[in-house]
Amino acid sequence: MAAAGAAKSSLIDPDGGALVDLVVPAGERAARREEAAAMPRVALGRVELEWAHVVAEGWASPLRGFMREHEYLQSLHFNSLRCADGSLVNMSVPIVLAIGDAEKEAVGASPNVALAGPDGDLVAILRGVEIYKHHKEERIARTWGTTAPGLPYVEAAIAPAGDWIIGGDLEVLEPIKYNDGLDHYRLSPRELRKEFDRREADAVFAFQLRNPVHNGHALLMNDTRRRLLEMGYKNPILLLHPLGGFTKEDDVPLDVRMEQHSKVLEEGVLDPETTIVAIFPSPMHYAGPTEVQWHAKARVNAGANFYIVGRDPAGMGHPTEKRDLYDPDHGKKVLSMAPGLEKLNILPFRVAAYDTVEKKMAFFDPSRAKDFLFISGTMMRTYARNGESPPDGFMCPGGWQVLVNYYKSLQAEETGQQ
Amino acid sequence: MAAAGAAKSSLIDPDGGALVDLVVPAGERAARREEAAAMPRVALGRVELEWAHVVAEGWASPLRGFMREHEYLQSLHFNSLRCADGSLVNMSVPIVLAIGDAEKEAVGASPNVALAGPDGDLVAILRGVEIYKHHKEERIARTWGTTAPGLPYVEAAIAPAGDWIIGGDLEVLEPIKYNDGLDHYRLSPRELRKEFDRREADAVFAFQLRNPVHNGHALLMNDTRRRLLEMGYKNPILLLHPLGGFTKEDDVPLDVRMEQHSKVLEEGVLDPETTIVAIFPSPMHYAGPTEVQWHAKARVNAGANFYIVGRDPAGMGHPTEKRDLYDPDHGKKVLSMAPGLEKLNILPFRVAAYDTVEKKMAFFDPSRAKDFLFISGTMMRTYARNGESPPDGFMCPGGWQVLVNYYKSLQAEETGQQ
């Protein structure tokens, strides 16, 4: 008797070390377009296009496409995928493409399908497809640890999605661009690795964020660099790596964040000589301890060997209860234990807060707790909306001005709509 | 900088190969009882007592006690625990002891606590305790893949439990007994291994069940033995291993099942020479693909090297929707991919049904599907309740009579209560 459930074919690259690259070489594109024209079509939404981008560039390497059921189940139950040599690679969020009954019918028995972008243009081919049930409730429960209504990614990309999942090997017809003036920030893992080499980095420490950089973040990043130098590294390079895909509505939009980050470098809060700012093209799950593994794994693929992890990474408030959705300490604990991330050096975030005596952002000192002010995202937004200044030394003036302008424009828009 | 979240101490046995044995040797019990008398006390419910039994005998080996947070998080997120040598052992369900605010207060800073059984008698000591938050919603969602109300284990053992978990190293003061006339069936993993040796088994195939054995089950077990002989094994032994801990209310009770299983052997449906009937003392989660891993891992610890897995193992109906809670194929798929179970030989269950032409239980033949009758547990109960006989050849007559008597006694009780 054979072992049950052997995969028909695996999306895992047998050559575990090399980054997958699923973009069709320029010389072959015309032929592939012709071939794709005869295939049934499946439409990608914005979030699915972002995932195609992520997978094609190798952020999820050794994954080679949208997950077949074999990968989906491993990701859901074990947060990791087994390679042909028996080793485990981390893969904590399912990267899947959902389709509805009509699309399933249209695909029929075709082994290959063409994937169209949100504008209807041909984007990719999915080969050797496998269609299986999209058990939404189970996917949500196992990914988020809750099924409460109001999870942003669920509302945007799962609840409205179809009841089937189609997996297969991805071929992207050309590099995915967004034409939003920010594409030059979207360096692939390969491009980042080259840039680290060009700068002769001997350590790369990554900082994931989806918020403006305040001086507390900067303190932490600069302090990390100092520590790495103390450890004997000669040229540690910071990868300041804002997430660029789907985010929830009340997060600061990507273009505003990129402008804010530019000011932080211009005004010398972070040193441009030892910092690379690039966009991580993944959508955001807000799935706490499950998602932080994905955030770290993708940066390892891009060449980072140190990862900074803070309080409640990828966390948010519980959508229906007045509490954090996740235990704020679980993210760094789960990350430190995650299969496939054994070699990553995890740098725990020391909590920074505004020191009202020293009048600057500083590492929190519990022995004089009352001197410290924790400025939350909500407080920051309130200051900016009301045109008030945050305490001196909270954020560089140019960066703060970017936020003030953004919130003013929002208010103008809201007023205009009334 | 040190890696985050390093465990204070690990419950994982550094000697990964040997089964843990957490029962205090007879000569040391008096001294331990004296020591325990001075410790704060925590009360075990029936389900927690069953877990103490399970852990103490080594079913969950290398786990050495109720999980500390480090093990709990690994179990919840990865269904496995990392040993000191870096290898992974499977551990798919959290084995934890919940306590309330008052008990937490009573424990205070004491490093050790005494555990009392449901009758108030001293049962065990928990050493080097760690108390952490019991995030119930997250635990339920990640274990069951749903948070719908009505999950039997949740209703019995999680919803009413406290908001804290206490973990630590377990010492059971003497072997746990239930005095229900069935203790002689409760062989420990060590005792089972000895029995397999005594019988000179060269293959042990385990069959987990929580229902009466019908001739379809028997066909499967006998066919498995035949195949193992064909594969070259000389003396394959069947471990018929009914689950003996907590089950849901409408399952057939353990004593009735054991009587039914006895008849199946007495009447020669299974061969007593090559079958060992024993009770698996674990409580039942009804957690499908997550739980089947636990069921298999525990049997590996008891010396089984082949595990029979059927359709929808450890599954049940969705508590609030008219469908199976789990995809019926996921159990065997997830089991085949589970970290730490790589060496287990999984024997997929061929579906048996009543062949109305041959008038016996037979492997389902899709080419003449209309000849087959699938007799569900509900149908079986309906036959037995109404005093009707199932089709000839469905179950041996003595075994069937046990069920008829049970359901008659239930009806008498119900009538008496009216």
Side-chain angles (χ1 to χ4, degrees), chain A residues 1-6 69-70 72-74 77-79 82 88 133 135 137-138 141-148 223-224 227 231 287 289-290 293 318 321 323 325-327 330 332-334 336-340 342 346-348, chain B residues 1-6 69-70 72-74 77-79 82 88 133 135 137-138 141-148 223-224 227 231 287 289-290 293 318 321 323 325-327 330 332-334 336-340 342 346-348:
Chain A
M1 298 183 202
E69 193 182 38
H70 189 69
Y72 170 73
L73 289 173
Q74 290 180 77
H77 287 274
F78 312 128
N79 286 196
R82 189 178 298 280
L88 293 176
K133 277 289 285 179
H135 296 284
E137 181 190 50
E138 185 177 11
R142 295 195 191 278
T143 304
W144 280 271
T146 180
T147 58
D223 193 62
T224 299
R227 283 163 181 253
M231 285 162 72
T290 299
Q293 300 170 64
H318 192 287
E321 297 173 23
R323 59 170 176 98
L325 178 50
Y326 302 107
D327 186 309
H330 280 186
K332 65 172 179 286
K333 288 179 183 173
V334 167
S336 75
M337 302 184 280
E342 296 79 5
I346 297 163
L347 302 170
Chain B
M1 298 184 200
E69 193 182 38
H70 189 69
Y72 170 74
L73 289 174
Q74 291 181 75
H77 287 273
F78 312 127
N79 285 197
R82 188 178 299 280
L88 293 175
K133 277 289 286 179
H135 296 283
E137 181 190 50
E138 184 178 11
R142 295 195 191 277
T143 304
W144 280 271
T146 180
T147 57
D223 193 62
T224 299
R227 283 163 182 251
M231 284 162 74
T290 300
Q293 300 170 63
H318 192 288
E321 297 173 23
R323 59 172 176 96
L325 177 50
Y326 302 107
D327 186 308
H330 280 186
K332 64 170 178 287
K333 288 179 182 172
V334 167
S336 75
M337 304 184 278
E342 295 80 5
I346 297 162
L347 302 169

Side-chain angles (χ1 to χ4, degrees), chain A residues 116-239:
Chain A
D119 306 330
D121 49 326
L122 183 68
V123 168
I125 292 171
L126 207 58
R127 293 194 190 269
V129 301
E130 176 185 297
I131 297 178
Y132 54 101
K133 277 289 285 179
H134 189 188
H135 296 284
K136 293 184 187 183
E137 181 190 50
E138 185 177 11
R139 175 181 172 198
I140 296 163
R142 295 195 191 278
T143 304
W144 280 271
T146 180
T147 58
L151 296 167
Y153 187 94
V154 171
E155 306 272 300
I158 299 183
D163 288 331
W164 303 95
I165 296 177
I166 185 165
D169 289 274
L170 186 70
E171 287 174 11
V172 168
L173 291 172
E174 51 190 274
I176 289 171
K177 299 291 172 201
Y178 301 82
N179 304 311
D180 57 358
L182 301 172
D183 281 328
H184 63 286
Y185 278 121
R186 294 189 176 90
L187 303 180
S188 72
R190 235 176 228 86
E191 288 167 334
L192 282 171
R193 286 180 176 220
K194 248 185 231 165
E195 181 62 19
F196 300 141
D197 285 348
R198 197 186 65 74
R199 297 211 195 185
E200 299 182 334
D202 58 354
V204 174
F205 58 113
F207 191 72
Q208 141 77 27
L209 75 172
R210 58 166 220 274
N211 280 311
V213 173
H214 61 58
N215 289 351
H217 298 133
L219 169 66
L220 171 80
M221 291 184 262
N222 288 327
D223 193 62
T224 299
R225 180 174 154 79
R226 186 185 59 73
R227 283 163 181 253
L228 289 170
L229 290 169
E230 272 177 20
M231 285 162 72
Y233 293 101
K234 302 296 176 207
N235 188 24
I237 294 288
L238 165 63
L239 172 61

